[in-house]
Structures are given as C-alpha cells and as structure tokens.
Amino acid sequence: MLNIVLFGPPGAGKGTQAERLIEKFGLVHLSTGDIFRFNIKNATELGKLAKSYIDKGALVPDEVTIAMLKDTVEKNPEAKGFIFDGFPRTTAQAEALDTFLAEKNTSISRMLALEVNEEELVKRLLERGKVSGRADDADVSIIQNRISVYNKETSVVKDYYENQNKYTGINGIGNIGEITQALCDAIEQLA
Ligand code: AMP
C-alpha cells in the first residue's frame, strides 16, 4: 500500500494537492477536516461536538479524531492506499496511526510536507474565506489561532516522521501544477 501523510499548516494547499494526487495514483483521500464538516452539515452527534472546537480554531480531541479516522479507513477495505490530509496533527495521533496501520500489516510510506510562510498562509485563508463559507476562514483571529495551534501542537509531528527517515519537504509557494509535479516526483521515488 502507498500511504502518504500530506502535511503542512492551514492554507498550505493540502486539500487542493490531495485531489490532484488521488487521481494520478488511485488513492483514497482522507481529510479529517472534510469528514468533520460533513458531520456538521448533517448535524450528527460527532458534528455537534466537533463544531465547538473547529469554530474556535482549536483541535478536536485526539480520541474522537482517531476513532473517526480508523472508522473511515475500515470503510475502504479495497483502497490501494491513502492520502491522509490534516491527520495526524499531534504526536499522539501519529503514534495511534502507526499502531493501527501495523495491525493491518501496512505503514506510512512518507510524509510530504508543503512549506509555506505565515504571511502567505493568512493571505490565502482570508481569500478562501470569501468563497469557502467556512467560519474558521473568515475571521483573522481564528486564523491566527489555527496557525498558533499548528506551531504549538502540530509542527512537532514533522520530527516524528523525520526520526523515521520519512520526511520530505516541498516548497508550497508558486505554481499549483509545479507543486503537484514536485509531489508526484517524490511519490514516484517510493515505488
Ligand atoms: P482542516 O480542514 O484540515 O483545516 O481542518 C479544519 C478543522 O478541523 C481544524 O482546525 C480542527 O479544528 C479540525 N481537525 C481537522 N483534522 C483534525 C485532527 N487531525 N485533529 C484535531 N482536529 C482536527
């Protein structure tokens, strides 16, 4: 299986690039943010719980997120592999993912990280907020909070994969197609 963690701060372009990569490599796109938003839209219990965190720009608790992630992987038994987008966001999530994949006799192939500076992230998220309808994209203080949560809780996940020699950084600024190409080149090296 080809299991990629597509990593990066909010606004780095993970969702956009994941959509392009799944087509090329026939993988399943698993975005925890998208699954939460689906649940919010459908007013499920999970959605109600997640909304209280997402609207503030905080992380949804690990046990809730990990259970949802496992459930989604289980629902895709035929998958050739996954692109994990927005997960793992804490070291505890990364450890849980490793344990879970090991039980399935598979593992993470590589973390590909989109590197984008903070000024550009804020600019992109405010632009996206005009069309995404996402409350967490519309307010600059919530955006700042998401970036600070990333810096405090999520950026360390890079070290977790670096320690396993599985980290590749990709410049996430510039032409979307060229960034896709850089990601594809990195994935092709894994084959
Ligand atoms: P995203 O669409 O990846 O930007 O995620 C939107 C929001 O969903 C985040 O700001 C978090 O509140 C929540 N979320 C998504 N993925 C996770 C995760 N792996 N752990 C905790 N919260 C998450």
Side-chain angles (χ1 to χ4, degrees):
M1 273 177 111
L2 188 59
N3 294 310
I4 305 289
V5 172
L6 190 57
F7 191 67
K14 300 186 294 293
T16 304
Q17 293 297 340
E19 284 304 322
R20 294 171 150 239
L21 296 175
I22 51 163
E23 267 184 41
K24 185 164 165 75
F25 295 98
L27 303 171
V28 172
H29 178 196
L30 202 165
S31 156
T32 41
D34 282 352
I35 304 169
F36 284 134
R37 281 184 290 277
F38 178 84
N39 277 277
I40 291 171
K41 207 168 134 210
N42 290 286
T44 66
E45 282 307 310
L46 174 64
K48 283 179 209 158
L49 184 134
K51 189 176 179 352
S52 60
Y53 296 93
I54 293 176
D55 283 356
K56 288 185 281 195
L59 294 185
V60 178
D62 278 342
E63 70 258 40
V64 176
T65 308
I66 292 165
M68 180 181 86
L69 182 284
K70 287 184 180 177
D71 190 50
T72 312
V73 170
E74 300 286 8
K75 281 183 184 145
N76 286 278
E78 305 298 329
K80 277 169 50 187
F82 292 88
I83 295 197
F84 296 103
D85 160 7
F87 186 97
R89 260 177 159 97
T90 62
T91 303
Q93 290 181 14
E95 286 167 352
L97 181 61
D98 269 356
T99 307
F100 176 61
L101 292 179
E103 283 163 12
K104 304 197 155 301
N105 296 313
T106 185
S107 59
I108 291 299
S109 314
R110 195 103 198 145
M111 165 181 271
L112 302 178
L114 293 169
E115 296 171 342
V116 177
N117 65 56
E118 229 168 276
E119 196 189 329
E120 172 75 12
L121 295 174
V122 175
K123 201 174 91 192
R124 285 188 191 178
L125 289 168
L126 282 171
E127 269 309 304
R128 187 171 79 185
K130 292 180 191 162
V131 290
S132 70
R134 280 177 58 170
D136 60 345
D137 284 345
D139 180 318
V140 82
S141 70
I142 295 173
I143 289 175
Q144 294 290 5
N145 193 38
R146 288 163 65 199
I147 293 173
S148 108
V149 166
Y150 173 84
N151 289 333
K152 280 195 212 121
E153 299 181 53
T154 304
S155 59
V156 290
V157 178
K158 166 185 174 174
D159 304 338
Y160 182 86
Y161 290 95
E162 234 168 11
N163 288 337
Q164 296 185 12
N165 287 319
K166 287 184 177 175
Y167 179 84
T168 300
I170 305 273
N171 177 13
I173 298 190
N175 178 284
I176 292 179
E178 283 172 17
I179 298 167
T180 309
Q181 193 53 53
L183 290 164
C184 289
D185 290 349
I187 294 173
E188 268 151 14
Q189 281 179 23
L190 300 171

